[in-house]
Amino acid sequence: MGHRIPEETIEAIRRGVDIVDVIGEYVQLKKQGRNYFGLCPFHGEKTPSFSVSPEKQIFHCFGCGAGGNVFTFLMDIEGLSFVEAAKRLAVKAGVDLSSYDENVGEGADGPASEAKAMMEAHALLKRFYHHLLVHTKEGQAALDALQARGWTMDTIERFEIGYAPDVPDAAAKLLESRAFSLVLMEKAGLLLKREDGRYVDRFRNRVMFPIHDHRGATVGFSGRSLGEGQPKYINSPETPIFRKGTLFYFFHEARVPIRKRQEALLVEGFADVISAVQAGVDYVVAAMGTSLTEEQARLLRRHAETVTICYDGDRAGMDAAWRAAEQLSALGCQIKVASLPDGLDPDEYIRVYGADRFVGEIAAARPLMAFKLERLRHGKNLQEEGDRLRYIEEALREISKLSSPVEKDYYVRQLAEEFSLSLSALYEQLSHHKREQPKPPEADAGRTEARPALAKKLLPAFQNAERLLLAHMMRSRDVALIVQEQVGGRFNLEEHQALAAYIYAFYEEGHEADPSAILSRLPGELRPLASELSLLPVADEVSERELADCIRHVLNRPKWLMLKEKEQEQTEAERRKDFLTAARIAKEMIEMKKMLSSS
């Protein structure tokens, strides 16, 4: 059915979930006073400015202005429609929404409908490939190969690994038999179109690793060749549902243990993840793509305080680990690096040395600076004076980037002791490197200065008065009725006028005060303002005097503007030497000031 969800059902869902629990699945939240704070998931920042109120069931970012309730959070973070968000939350709230169409309000051929069909096709092929691997003779060779490398049937089942047969159009025929559009399936990256117009499978004779988005939907595949066939891996192309620069492999399952431990293990490949999980390390992910993207780094930072990087042990892997560490460290992550011996990757290391030793290597991971110093030594002969001086210089350059004075002192003293150098000389050179460091861009600086403190804004008196009135109106039906009677639509700022109108309408419908419910009725452009005002630190009850003062500031604003116009007219009359007019205007101004002071 494609009808509108009733208001009472939406309210039941909203009241049946806790916004802190929902947002807590995406953002690491810490309680400060009555609210929770964390790093905003909608913009990059190092200092938490993202606030969640369990009392009002709303969120607001004081850095970028994002705000809303539990529905709008899911819509914004996951790119969902309202009905999709409602369905997701209904499961948590125990409300049945099975009769409502996810694509209500969209055409049958709209983007949401196409994305849904693509995901359904991927889910179908995932089951098809997995069945072929586990239950047919066609997949036996692939299954034997996976088990030969030490993966158990439980692991193969958990990761839903499959096998694409060596047939040109097995997937194409299956999809066509289930009424999927082959044109759309080509767009989804599952099929290829030949010159003769026939559609054939993208993946053939390959072990298939399904790739999930962060909600657990299958959005792509990576197919590994059997034997020495090239290319070794064929991956799904970029599609409307698969953007590799935004995804981590296994994140949909690892997110909970990552948040529980406040630590993530970052590896390079699918096999590394699978072997690590089988070894008992379930907080592991691998970045999709050739290198860690900014979006991936921010996602990891929102969920973990500490990231342990365990890339391949060869030079390329260590260089990639350095780059990823720099990105994550810049976002405020504590970084550790596990360097595996003999150039092995995690999957190879586990197969050679076993799960217990791998877990020991992860536990013994070094701090980022220790890893950097070791890498800077690589290729240098420290017995030779030139190499030794170059190493000390490079080491000091990296040490100068540390924010902790204790860490700086620790590593400077380490250098002084190792090379018999004076601390004063090292610190003098260290200060030189610190002066050389470029200042962060202003845009970034602005983000890092954001604070969770709900400081009162330096605004004109009338504007602060209007904000206070609106904040109290969202909390109290009685205040809203008083303001409606005495102020009505005479707020001086247009967005304040619009928000007031929505608040009046909300109470006229018979509702009691509920900031989250008010937010549900607001258009997107008003939500940031409303969520911010809902979190203003105002008293639960406003005194009659304070309310009267705020109303007076609002109503007197046009009069003060008129007085300023009179002042300009007086100045202009005096400039023209029209002193009679100037005197008349001065008399009018005196009367206006008397009225304003007495009101």
Side-chain angles (χ1 to χ4, degrees):
M1 297 175 66
H3 50 281
R4 188 173 180 270
I5 303 174
E7 191 66 37
E8 58 269 22
T9 304
I10 294 172
E11 283 299 300
I13 296 170
R14 190 173 60 81
R15 295 182 183 279
V17 297
D18 185 349
I19 193 170
V20 175
D21 292 338
V22 174
I23 293 180
E25 295 179 7
Y26 299 83
V27 180
Q28 177 192 342
L29 297 173
K30 293 182 179 179
K31 192 170 186 182
Q32 296 181 25
R34 298 166 73 172
N35 296 334
Y36 291 78
F37 288 89
L39 295 173
C40 179
F42 302 113
H43 83 288
E45 60 179 10
K46 292 182 180 178
T47 305
S49 60
F50 181 83
S51 176
V52 184
S53 168
E55 178 185 352
K56 302 178 181 70
Q57 290 293 297
I58 60 173
F59 72 92
H60 181 79
C61 176
F62 292 88
C64 70
N69 59 16
V70 68
F71 292 98
T72 56
F73 177 83
L74 270 188
M75 292 165 68
D76 292 342
I77 197 76
E78 296 280 13
L80 305 177
S81 68
F82 178 81
V83 174
E84 288 172 327
K87 280 198 162 189
R88 187 87 65 82
L89 293 169
V91 174
K92 296 177 180 291
V95 177
D96 182 16
L97 281 188
S98 58
S99 61
Y100 293 91
D101 183 4
E102 288 185 358
N103 300 316
V104 62
E106 301 189 36
D109 297 322
S113 180
E114 285 193 353
K116 182 181 178 184
M118 289 179 181
M119 290 183 186
E120 289 175 348
H122 277 82
L124 172 65
L125 289 185
K126 176 178 70 175
R127 294 191 298 271
F128 173 62
Y129 293 144
H130 184 66
H131 173 79
L132 290 178
L133 175 72
V134 175
H135 299 294
T136 71
K137 291 181 179 180
E138 292 173 281
Q140 189 62 50
L143 182 61
D144 291 343
L146 294 176
Q147 292 181 311
R149 68 185 301 156
W151 290 348
T152 66
M153 283 303 299
D154 285 344
T155 296
I156 292 167
E157 292 281 358
R158 179 173 184 177
F159 285 88
E160 301 173 288
I161 303 171
Y163 170 70
D166 193 11
V167 179
D169 54 1
K173 286 180 177 177
L174 175 62
L175 292 168
E176 189 172 30
S177 71
R178 299 295 179 90
F180 285 99
S181 163
L182 298 189
V183 174
L184 184 61
M185 294 302 97
E186 181 189 17
K187 186 177 178 181
L190 296 171
L191 304 179
L192 299 170
K193 188 177 182 180
R194 286 181 171 173
E195 292 183 1
D196 61 6
R198 289 181 58 211
Y199 287 95
V200 296
D201 300 354
R202 176 180 292 274
F203 303 100
R204 290 175 53 188
N205 194 30
R206 289 180 176 271
V207 174
M208 299 296 288
F209 299 92
I211 301 167
H212 302 86
D213 66 13
H214 300 155
R215 292 176 281 166
T218 308
V219 294
F221 289 102
S222 181
R224 191 191 190 285
S225 65
L226 289 172
E228 301 302 319
Q230 295 297 325
K232 186 175 181 180
Y233 282 97
I234 293 180
N235 300 319
S236 292
E238 295 278 311
T239 71
I241 63 171
F242 177 60
R243 294 189 301 120
K244 61 185 178 182
T246 67
L247 299 176
F248 284 103
Y249 182 66
F250 196 61
F251 187 82
H252 65 296
E253 288 201 32
R255 178 165 59 193
V256 172
I258 285 173
R259 292 187 56 73
K260 185 176 181 180
R261 292 179 58 96
Q262 280 305 299
E263 180 180 1
L265 174 62
L266 181 62
V267 297
E268 284 191 277
F270 305 139
D272 299 331
V273 170
I274 296 168
S275 291
V277 170
Q278 185 169 282
V281 182
D282 59 354
Y283 55 100
V284 59
V285 294
M288 300 298 302
T290 55
S291 60
L292 191 70
T293 67
E294 183 178 0
E295 190 167 351
Q296 289 167 335
R298 286 178 176 172
L299 176 65
L300 214 51
R301 175 64 185 97
R302 291 200 299 268
H303 288 78
E305 289 282 355
T306 301
V307 177
T308 300
I309 300 174
C310 185
Y311 281 4
D312 296 0
D314 58 14
R315 179 173 181 176
M318 291 298 95
D319 289 345
W322 183 304
R323 292 191 298 271
E326 292 274 69
Q327 284 181 279
L328 291 163
S329 180
L331 293 174
C333 284
Q334 296 295 316
I335 303 298
K336 296 189 292 183
V337 182
S339 302
L340 300 179
D342 306 321
L344 298 176
D345 62 34
D347 173 52
E348 293 168 335
Y349 184 90
I350 291 169
R351 281 188 279 141
V352 173
Y353 295 107
D356 290 343
R357 281 190 58 175
F358 175 74
V359 172
E361 292 281 2
I362 300 303
R366 293 171 295 170
L368 176 57
M369 183 51 62
F371 163 74
K372 284 185 172 182
L373 294 178
E374 178 62 32
R375 289 299 297 163
L376 291 176
R377 290 172 177 269
H378 188 74
K380 294 184 178 69
N381 179 6
L382 297 186
Q383 302 304 313
E384 199 274 322
E385 184 178 354
D387 278 3
R388 186 164 62 249
L389 288 173
R390 190 163 72 254
Y391 166 72
I392 294 169
E393 187 74 9
E394 292 173 352
L396 286 171
R397 183 176 291 111
E398 292 301 323
I399 293 170
S400 70
K401 299 176 184 178
L402 292 170
S403 58
S404 167
V406 173
E407 273 193 283
K408 283 182 182 177
D409 188 67
Y410 175 83
Y411 287 110
V412 169
R413 289 179 182 276
Q414 192 178 84
L415 283 177
E417 182 177 343
E418 182 178 3
F419 296 104
S420 301
L421 299 170
S422 72
L423 283 173
S424 59
L426 290 176
Y427 270 109
E428 183 178 348
Q429 188 65 15
L430 191 71
S431 63
H432 174 71
H433 284 302
K434 191 170 184 179
R435 288 194 300 270
E436 285 182 343
Q437 289 181 27
K439 293 182 179 180
E442 287 191 13
D444 290 341
R447 286 199 294 263
T448 59
E449 288 169 5
R451 292 290 186 272
L454 310 183
K456 188 173 181 179
K457 294 193 173 186
L458 297 175
L459 299 172
F462 84 91
Q463 192 170 343
N464 271 325
E466 292 189 356
R467 287 165 59 84
L468 284 172
L469 283 180
L470 291 166
H472 283 297
M473 288 164 64
M474 295 179 72
R475 293 165 167 81
S476 168
R477 178 190 179 92
D478 292 338
V479 171
L481 293 176
I482 293 171
V483 176
Q484 185 175 11
E485 181 181 341
Q486 297 187 29
V487 179
R490 288 176 289 174
F491 284 83
N492 294 281
L493 298 181
E494 287 187 6
E495 63 176 353
H496 291 174
Q497 293 173 11
L499 179 55
Y502 277 101
I503 296 173
Y504 297 152
F506 176 79
Y507 290 122
E508 285 174 2
E509 293 172 4
H511 302 293
E512 293 302 320
D514 189 333
S516 179
I518 291 173
L519 277 164
S520 294
R521 290 158 174 78
L522 297 178
E525 61 269 18
L526 287 179
R527 286 179 195 146
L529 170 65
S531 60
E532 179 186 2
L533 296 181
S534 296
L535 293 176
L536 281 181
V538 298
D540 292 334
E541 294 185 6
V542 58
S543 67
E544 291 184 9
R545 180 175 178 178
E546 183 182 3
L547 186 59
D549 284 344
C550 288
I551 292 174
R552 177 173 54 82
H553 278 299
V554 173
L555 296 180
N556 282 349
R557 172 62 176 172
K559 299 173 185 176
W560 283 110
L561 290 177
M562 189 180 300
L563 185 61
K564 287 185 178 295
E565 290 179 4
K566 290 290 184 182
E567 289 175 349
Q568 293 174 355
E569 290 177 12
Q570 182 189 29
T571 301
E572 180 61 23
E574 289 174 346
R575 190 185 64 79
R576 298 195 312 266
K577 301 190 183 302
D578 185 355
F579 298 112
L580 288 176
T581 299
R584 176 178 57 78
I585 294 173
K587 185 177 180 181
E588 292 175 357
M589 290 169 58
I590 291 172
E591 292 299 320
M592 291 176 67
K593 288 178 179 178
K594 285 181 180 179
M595 291 176 60
L596 287 169
S597 61
S598 62
S599 62

